Amino acid sequence: MLDLNEAQRQIRARLPQLAAETVPLSESNGRILARDVLAGIDLPPADNSSVDGYAVRSSDLALASAERAAGFKVAATVPAGAVSNEALVAGACARVFTGSYLPEGADAVVMQEDTRREGDTAYFSVRVKPWQNVRLRGEDVRSGAKVLAAGLRMQARHLGVLAGTGQTETEVGCRPRVALLATGRELQAPGTALRPGSIYESNRIVLAEAVRAVNGVPLTIPPVADELEAIATSLRQLAEDHDVLITTGGVSVGDHDLIRPAMEALGGTIRFWRVRMRPGKPFLFGEVLGKPLFGLPGNPVSAITSFVYLVRPALLVMQGASDTAGPRACGRLTRAVENRAGRPHFLRVSVGRDGSVCPVGLQGSHAIYGLSQADGWLRVDAGCQLANGQEVTVTLWDC
Ligand code: AMP
Ligand code: MG
């Protein structure tokens, strides 16, 4: 049985890297940047006004005061989006607005609130320092500077700097095509009357969303019974046009646990089986026909827990991600918890608005309603006691 860290490390070492593709900026949110992005221009692209007012040569206003307002000829009007082709001469000013490029010769802007206008003369009752009310060319970012690093998971805020430097598209890791195969004779698709001995199949719909949340394209096929031939046939077909195979069920020690025999029948390799965690122990990782296969336990809580800690990071790494940490929350336990078992326990917990963290729902690995009440997972290491009020970090769902 492998420690979780070691299992994560072994998976990472074996993952194939997906190719990169160029996508429109509007479709790149959440995707993984394939290359560093350098600014193609200065930001701002030119010195410009941060207020509505009058562009001046600051030295011309040395004597302006509330008592003796200085009168200046308004030599030009420069709306945002226009440029003045005349340099500002001594004793003149130019009407400007927020975002107007500064006319040549001007080095400051007097705010409209500190001025009075009479015809084509503007009166200034304040002095201004050089570059006051001016946003300087390149002060935010210089042309050629790295603005985003390869491996970054893009968020809306990153799209802004790309658009602002004039980009329309970006290069990102391709979406992994992920096949989801649920195995178990007892599994019945929802929508039909439940037969004796059966349960409704619920893993694929949860996992499909979890796959989508990390840019994957999930394909689900109807549940497959515990038959070696049927499982092997499905795996062979799915391996053809998918980057990753995920199975649920059939990885324990029962007579009907046939994922491993099916992989062997296809000449696949089992890299490891069983991870020191609860729930999720019977997790399996290997390759079939050159494609990574993640064999998740069938119990719904185990399946999603192993997905969150072992598969989700892998899908991100395949796309080139440099950081696979998901959403987290910090909070304080509202009761003591203890793990007397010999492997880490991933307790399902709620996280209140006030930061209170509390185990929630039935903590069995079959308990899908209990799982539905949890905001996330709290890792409690083997033999560990956490006190009431202790500060903890919770791994949250990202789907
Ligand atoms: P297994 O890992 O195949 O031994 O399954 C463990 C438990 O999880 C059994 O009670 C199964 O009925 C249940 N189970 C397996 N696959 C699914 C699934 N796709 N949806 C819901 N429950 C499942
Ligand atoms: Mg089964």
Side-chain angles (χ1 to χ4, degrees):
M1 196 161 24
L2 281 186
D3 277 341
L4 179 56
N5 285 349
E6 177 58 16
Q8 288 167 330
R9 197 195 63 72
Q10 289 197 18
I11 291 172
R12 201 176 265 250
R14 300 253 173 222
L15 289 175
Q17 199 64 33
L18 297 171
E21 62 177 344
T22 300
V23 299
L25 225 51
S26 56
E27 288 167 29
S28 63
N29 194 33
R31 303 288 295 275
I32 311 297
L33 262 190
R35 313 184 179 287
D36 291 346
V37 178
L38 310 185
I41 57 169
D42 287 330
L43 278 187
D47 298 338
N48 69 91
S49 178
S50 65
V51 295
D52 294 329
Y54 293 86
V56 295
R57 297 153 63 121
S58 58
S59 55
D60 289 355
L61 269 71
L63 300 175
S65 66
E67 299 76 42
R68 265 189 48 181
F72 283 69
K73 183 172 183 315
V74 182
T77 296
V78 191
V83 283
S84 165
N85 25 28
E86 276 169 45
L88 200 63
V89 297
C93 66
R95 178 75 170 122
V96 292
F97 304 88
T98 306
S100 297
Y101 280 21
L102 242 54
E104 209 189 308
D107 71 347
V109 176
V110 186
M111 276 173 79
Q112 187 168 321
E113 291 83 337
D114 297 324
T115 68
R116 180 166 54 81
R117 178 82 178 252
E118 274 174 29
D120 61 359
T121 303
Y123 292 89
F124 305 138
S125 52
V126 295
R127 288 186 282 271
V128 281
K129 295 193 199 83
W131 308 114
Q132 192 168 334
N133 299 321
V134 175
R135 308 189 286 209
L136 294 173
R137 172 177 183 161
E139 73 176 5
D140 188 15
V141 80
R142 287 260 173 226
S143 175
K146 191 205 287 190
V147 285
L148 302 176
L152 174 78
R153 184 152 192 215
M154 302 263 275
Q155 298 178 349
R157 61 198 168 110
H158 303 121
L159 306 183
V161 70
L162 294 184
T165 50
Q167 320 239 7
T168 57
E169 31 180 53
T170 182
E171 220 181 322
V172 295
C174 285
R175 295 180 182 280
R177 298 163 302 168
V178 179
L180 291 171
L181 178 68
T183 69
R185 183 184 304 279
E186 74 282 24
L187 302 178
Q188 198 179 321
T192 50
L194 199 61
R195 291 185 302 269
S198 297
I199 59 164
Y200 288 125
E201 195 284 320
S202 64
N203 280 342
R204 289 171 308 156
I205 196 158
V206 178
L207 293 170
E209 291 308 327
V211 163
R212 277 194 197 99
V214 286
N215 308 317
V217 182
L219 174 94
T220 57
I221 62 164
V224 175
D226 302 297
E227 287 160 17
L228 183 58
E229 192 63 31
I231 294 173
T233 303
S234 296
L235 288 179
R236 187 187 314 110
Q237 285 168 357
L238 293 169
E240 256 169 46
D241 47 7
H242 289 85
D243 303 302
V244 172
L245 307 174
I246 298 178
T247 62
T248 70
V251 284
S252 293
V253 292
D255 296 341
H256 302 286
D257 290 329
L258 297 172
I259 299 296
R260 282 184 298 152
M263 287 174 75
E264 278 155 5
L266 294 171
T269 311
I270 292 152
R271 299 293 174 186
F272 64 83
W273 176 53
R274 295 202 291 192
V275 176
R276 209 180 302 280
M277 63 189 291
R278 180 173 135 227
K281 180 173 82 172
F283 178 89
L284 174 157
F285 174 69
E287 288 106 27
V288 160
L289 303 167
K291 303 295 169 68
L293 182 148
F294 299 91
L296 309 184
N299 269 313
V301 182
S302 314
I304 189 65
T305 305
S306 353
F307 180 92
V308 166
Y309 288 93
L310 290 155
V311 188
R312 180 187 177 281
L315 294 177
L316 287 168
V317 165
M318 289 176 76
Q319 298 169 66
S322 46
D323 179 11
T324 61
R328 281 153 195 238
C330 291
R332 286 182 188 283
L333 274 171
T334 54
R335 71 171 176 78
V337 297
E338 176 178 25
N339 178 11
R340 292 193 190 159
R343 52 195 160 117
H345 190 182
F346 292 86
L347 270 181
R348 274 76 68 207
V349 296
S350 63
V351 183
R353 281 176 189 276
D354 59 351
S356 57
V357 175
C358 189
V360 71
L362 184 64
Q363 295 282 332
S365 56
H366 62 295
I368 47 180
Y369 172 64
L371 176 70
S372 77
Q373 294 177 286
D375 297 307
W377 290 260
L378 171 64
R379 176 178 177 146
V380 187
D381 281 319
C384 184
Q385 292 184 340
L386 300 176
N388 185 0
Q390 185 154 338
E391 201 165 313
V392 292
T393 301
V394 175
T395 297
L396 300 173
W397 289 86
D398 73 347
C399 56

